Amino acid sequence: MSVELPFAPVDAIIRQNAGELRVSAGAAEALARRIQDRGAELAIDAADRATADGRKTLMAEDFGVQQVVDRDELLLPIAPIDRIARLRIDDRYRVAMDARIALADILEDYAVNVAGAAVKLAHHADRRTVQSEDIETYFSLFE
């Protein structure tokens, strides 16, 4: 499966947490893949909630979000988030703009948490670069 999410904003999220550490391209790619998988899973659950309410449009509340942040506050771009939301749901569903923004916010928080842990793992390994193995180690430990 191809990755819909560009690596640059994911790299920026990791760098916000990395301090003096460098970030490998592999780390950004590994986290982008995990973000994409998580977003697709969340969209499946949201589609189930929308269906239960008799709707074909996913709304922010289907993602458990009551207050939607301002789009300009996000690092993750909205268009790829829309494509991620549609990866594993039926084509009959639409994704409202507030749902896209809500999902982007959820996934950005997710990425920040993973990046912070990956930075700690890189420090623990006494490396100067956050690598894809730090991302994968996080998931092997906490999933």
Side-chain angles (χ1 to χ4, degrees):
M1 166 173 35
S2 68
V3 179
E4 298 290 336
L5 193 60
F7 299 153
V10 177
D11 181 81
I13 291 170
I14 299 170
R15 286 181 192 283
Q16 283 180 344
N17 288 276
E20 77 285 351
L21 296 181
R22 296 181 301 233
V23 178
S24 74
E29 181 178 354
L31 184 52
R33 286 185 189 284
R34 293 297 188 144
I35 292 168
Q36 178 169 302
D37 289 344
R38 180 73 179 137
E41 290 170 9
L42 291 171
I44 291 169
D45 293 340
D48 290 344
R49 286 187 202 94
T51 299
D53 286 346
R55 292 181 282 108
K56 293 182 181 176
T57 301
L58 305 186
M59 308 297 284
E61 53 268 13
D62 296 324
F63 290 97
V65 174
Q66 301 303 316
Q67 181 79 26
V68 179
V69 300
D70 189 300
R71 180 180 186 166
D72 295 332
E73 294 177 24
L74 299 171
L75 287 174
L76 296 179
I78 300 302
I81 297 298
D82 181 48
R83 291 190 298 273
I84 288 169
R86 298 169 188 274
L87 282 174
R88 297 185 195 145
I89 61 173
D90 194 304
D91 289 342
R92 66 185 170 162
Y93 290 102
R94 295 183 348 215
V95 183
M97 181 56 76
D98 69 334
R100 294 175 204 168
I101 295 169
L103 181 57
D105 187 30
I106 291 166
L107 294 177
E108 196 165 303
D109 287 345
Y110 176 77
V112 167
N113 290 334
V114 173
V119 166
K120 288 178 184 173
L121 289 167
H123 277 295
H124 182 71
D126 202 27
R127 281 188 273 103
R128 296 184 339 178
T129 304
V130 178
Q131 298 177 354
S132 62
E133 69 186 64
D134 299 315
I135 303 295
E136 297 307 326
T137 298
Y138 169 83
F139 286 102
S140 68
L141 292 171
F142 298 106
E143 271 195 338

